[in-house]
Amino acid sequence: MFFKILEFSVLLCIGHLVYAQVGDRCFFQGRNKEGICKLFHDCRSAEEGARRDIEPTVCGYQRNTIIVCCEDSNRNENYNNYQSHNYSPQTNEDPYRPETSDFIFPDQELPIRDRDPIKENTGSSRISEQKCKEYNKAIVGEVQVLPLVANPQPISIKINKCDHNSVPLIVGGKPAQSGKYPFMAALGFNTDEKWLCGGTLISHRFILTAAHCTSSRSGSPVVVRLGALYLSQETSTSEDYRVADIIVHPNYRYPEKYNDIALIRVERDIKFTKYVRPACLYTKDHISQKAAIATGWGRIDYAGETSDRLLEVNLNIYDNSLCQKAYRNNNGLANGITSTMICAGELKGGKDTCQGDSGGPLVVSDKENQCQFYVVGVTSFGKSCGQVNTPAVYTRVSKYVSWIEKHVWNNA
């Protein structure tokens, strides 16, 4: 992580120091050029400049966030999207991956807290949150701004340093860019159709996946591939790791759908690169984002073939009551859809995870650094892929963080 203190002068008006507000006109310091005041993280040119150690012209501050003079071309949007004093950005069967029939093997309600690890900037108390910061040092930079005023208080700005920013975009999915999802894992079995499930890299040794992915007609996973874009190709960016141990959640009971979560430990430490890096665990029960991204090499439709290239799809997160209706006659759900599950998909149909995507991640990204991902769910089960009014169901990671920490980081 880089750390730098920059001294900025703010706008002057009629000889007095003033703070301009979002949407106001401004002039760049030392240049006869006009701009529009924006929050730092809404100004692409200021962020790119900060990465090259170019000091932005500061308009002012709002709730401990810096407002900069921005030269982005879409100036007219600023007057429409910002208010002077109150900024508010616009912001049939279970065929799952592989098919349930290929796999052989009382829910506790927990309170939902209205807190979000992405929004909070408090000291990390959980080992998983500490590791999240450690693993993401390579992509999270920080600049501290020190305004030239009496008794200045430094303001920290996080800057992303990766090549790919997530864009809310498998069934209805789009090809992913190389290195965009460096936590994505493929689970290999001793079979002709080798890559049957997905997973999420979460540490130097562990991959998070679905419990139903750990035992099949072809046995258990024997290898994990990381850093891959195309599964048919072994490239300089990808590497295979032999499976050393599989830890299934103790309360998973096939064919029930509850507690569908497991950990895979590989034989040796995983080398982190631009193409291989862990995702963070989402530790809070309430998910503030309304949409998430699923990734995988699964089927592109219910009767179709699996994808050789990694795909991404943007899915809406729905209230669990929608999935409660869709799966009310499922034999594996004696207690219905519970708080340990997430309901996500597209009610219009056409976007979904499918066979071969099981065990893979459902993620959200940090609004202030969209290179940093948090895994909120594990792809678990669904109906015919992309069906109208039938979201899929994902295991809610936040309900299992303590169990994951105990095994991954020996945090009892």
Side-chain angles (χ1 to χ4, degrees):
M1 178 183 293
F2 66 85
F3 181 86
K4 186 175 182 180
I5 294 183
L6 303 177
E7 291 188 340
F8 300 139
S9 58
V10 297
L11 295 176
L12 295 176
C13 180
I14 319 179
H16 296 283
L17 189 66
V18 300
Y19 289 105
Q21 298 172 341
V22 171
D24 289 351
R25 295 182 182 275
C26 56
F27 286 90
F28 289 93
Q29 186 176 332
R31 299 160 57 191
N32 187 23
K33 186 173 181 179
E34 184 182 353
I36 294 293
C37 292
K38 287 186 175 184
L39 292 180
F40 178 82
H41 287 294
D42 290 332
C43 180
R44 185 182 308 161
S45 59
E47 281 196 314
E48 291 174 351
R51 293 192 194 102
R52 302 192 301 271
D53 294 335
I54 298 175
E55 299 181 6
T57 297
V58 176
C59 293
Y61 304 91
Q62 182 169 296
R63 297 180 183 176
N64 292 326
T65 301
I66 187 174
I67 303 172
V68 298
C69 194
C70 187
E71 59 182 339
D72 287 357
S73 58
N74 56 341
R75 293 183 183 178
N76 291 335
E77 292 183 9
N78 290 277
Y79 291 104
N80 297 327
N81 294 346
Y82 298 95
Q83 298 176 351
S84 298
H85 300 285
N86 189 12
Y87 172 65
S88 178
Q90 314 294 324
T91 47
N92 314 330
E93 291 179 272
D94 299 328
Y96 268 91
R97 324 133 287 251
E99 296 183 2
T100 307
S101 58
D102 284 345
F103 286 82
I104 31 183
F105 26 19
D107 181 54
Q108 180 181 3
E109 295 286 336
L110 296 179
I112 294 180
R113 303 175 182 87
D114 189 19
R115 299 171 62 200
D116 188 335
I118 295 179
K119 300 296 182 184
E120 293 182 353
N121 191 26
T122 58
S124 295
S125 57
R126 303 198 71 120
I127 183 65
S128 59
E129 293 170 342
Q130 295 170 21
K131 290 296 181 179
C132 174
K133 289 185 177 181
E134 176 185 326
Y135 297 151
N136 282 282
K137 283 181 180 179
I139 58 163
V140 180
E142 184 174 287
V143 171
Q144 280 212 343
V145 178
L146 189 63
L148 296 178
V149 295
N151 302 317
Q153 295 295 320
I155 296 177
S156 295
I157 303 172
K158 291 182 180 179
I159 300 171
N160 70 66
K161 296 162 61 180
C162 70
D163 293 337
H164 305 287
N165 276 331
S166 70
V167 179
L169 297 175
I170 274 146
V171 176
K174 296 182 179 181
Q177 300 175 39
S178 179
K180 186 174 180 181
Y181 302 107
F183 48 82
M184 188 66 207
L187 305 189
F189 294 71
N190 286 322
T191 176
D192 291 338
E193 296 180 4
K194 182 174 183 177
W195 308 104
L196 300 180
C197 273
T200 307
L201 176 65
I202 59 171
S203 80
H204 281 92
R205 281 288 186 99
F206 281 87
I207 285 81
L208 182 69
T209 190
H212 80 261
C213 281
T214 62
S215 182
S216 76
R217 292 174 179 174
S218 302
S220 298
V222 295
V223 66
V224 174
R225 177 166 292 179
L226 298 167
L229 185 61
Y230 293 91
L231 286 179
S232 63
Q233 304 172 8
E234 293 188 39
T235 67
S236 59
T237 68
S238 66
E239 189 164 356
D240 291 353
Y241 294 83
R242 302 295 298 180
V243 172
D245 193 18
I246 296 174
I247 305 168
V248 177
H249 193 277
N251 293 331
Y252 176 69
R253 300 286 185 272
Y254 178 83
E256 292 185 354
K257 308 298 186 185
Y258 304 109
N259 306 301
D260 190 11
I261 192 167
L263 293 165
I264 292 178
R265 181 173 63 85
V266 295
E267 289 183 344
R268 56 191 171 93
D269 281 355
I270 294 164
K271 294 182 292 186
F272 294 168
T273 68
K274 173 181 176 181
Y275 303 95
V276 178
R277 189 181 66 252
C280 297
L281 299 181
Y282 197 92
T283 60
K284 309 304 176 185
D285 293 330
H286 174 65
I287 303 172
S288 61
Q289 287 90 331
K290 301 301 181 185
I293 298 170
T295 52
W297 291 276
R299 293 186 182 182
I300 56 177
D301 61 59
Y302 179 63
E305 296 182 351
T306 57
S307 173
D308 182 46
R309 179 169 177 167
L310 181 64
L311 300 179
E312 61 179 344
V313 64
N314 190 54
L315 302 174
N316 297 313
I317 297 176
Y318 298 113
D319 187 88
N320 277 7
S321 59
L322 285 173
C323 282
Q324 181 68 42
K325 295 178 182 178
Y327 298 95
R328 59 180 175 271
N329 296 321
N330 191 295
N331 291 331
L333 294 168
N335 299 321
I337 301 297
T338 71
S339 64
T340 62
M341 300 170 177
I342 296 173
C343 182
E346 173 54 70
L347 292 184
K348 299 179 196 174
K351 290 184 178 183
D352 202 356
T353 43
C354 200
Q355 293 170 322
D357 292 322
S358 262
L362 182 71
V363 298
V364 295
S365 61
D366 187 330
K367 181 181 182 298
E368 294 185 353
N369 189 338
Q370 293 185 347
C371 303
Q372 185 169 332
F373 289 91
Y374 292 78
V375 56
V376 297
V378 175
T379 306
S380 184
F381 66 94
K383 289 189 177 180
S384 297
C385 313
Q387 184 175 321
V388 176
N389 293 326
T390 312
V393 179
Y394 301 78
T395 304
R396 189 182 295 264
V397 169
S398 63
K399 297 292 189 179
Y400 301 93
V401 172
S402 295
W403 175 77
I404 295 170
E405 289 176 335
K406 178 180 177 180
H407 291 285
V408 175
W409 295 288
N410 296 317
N411 185 47

